[in-house]
Amino acid sequence: MPFKPPQVEKCPKCDKSVYAAEERLAGGRKWHSFCFKCGLCNKGLDSHTVAVHSEQVYCKNCHAKKFGPKGFGFGQGGGALSMETGKQFGNKEAEMSNKPTTYAPGN
């Protein structure tokens, strides 16, 4: 009977095998410790700073900027409001999604 190595889960970022000595767990997946970085700012993550969205990992700040509420009235008060959309990080999903896309006369 030929030798069969055990099946090892692949890292979602680099698609290489993740062994126990280098694994980080998030979102039900195993990541390399060096691949476990924010998808926008590339900051290293740990179990307290990680936020998972669509099998992508983000730091809590970038996750809030990219997927959190936007516009006037959200934040810690008038002095802390920010209209930053994260464009400097390559965020293309930050466009306001509450704008009407079609015209419906009579409504």
Side-chain angles (χ1 to χ4, degrees):
M1 178 181 277
F3 172 74
K4 288 186 179 181
Q7 291 294 326
V8 181
E9 191 171 343
K10 304 281 185 183
C11 175
K13 191 164 190 175
C14 68
D15 203 36
K16 295 180 182 177
S17 298
V18 180
Y19 298 100
E22 59 190 4
E23 74 180 23
R24 299 278 191 252
L25 297 172
R29 305 289 305 268
K30 293 181 180 181
W31 304 74
H32 290 116
S33 55
F34 51 86
C35 292
F36 199 57
K37 295 180 181 178
C38 177
L40 289 179
C41 68
N42 282 330
K43 183 169 75 172
L45 301 173
D46 61 23
S47 62
H48 297 288
T49 59
V50 68
V52 181
H53 191 94
S54 300
E55 296 201 15
Q56 184 70 262
V57 289
Y58 300 96
C59 65
K60 293 201 181 234
N61 290 334
C62 289
H63 184 268
K65 288 177 189 174
K66 188 167 184 168
F67 301 108
K70 295 167 183 60
F72 183 77
F74 296 103
Q76 299 173 350
L81 287 177
S82 172
M83 296 305 290
E84 179 185 352
T85 60
K87 287 184 181 177
Q88 72 271 23
F89 298 128
N91 185 6
K92 297 184 182 357
E93 297 177 27
E95 295 296 321
M96 292 291 211
S97 61
N98 61 348
K99 291 181 181 178
T101 56
T102 59
Y103 174 70
N107 287 340

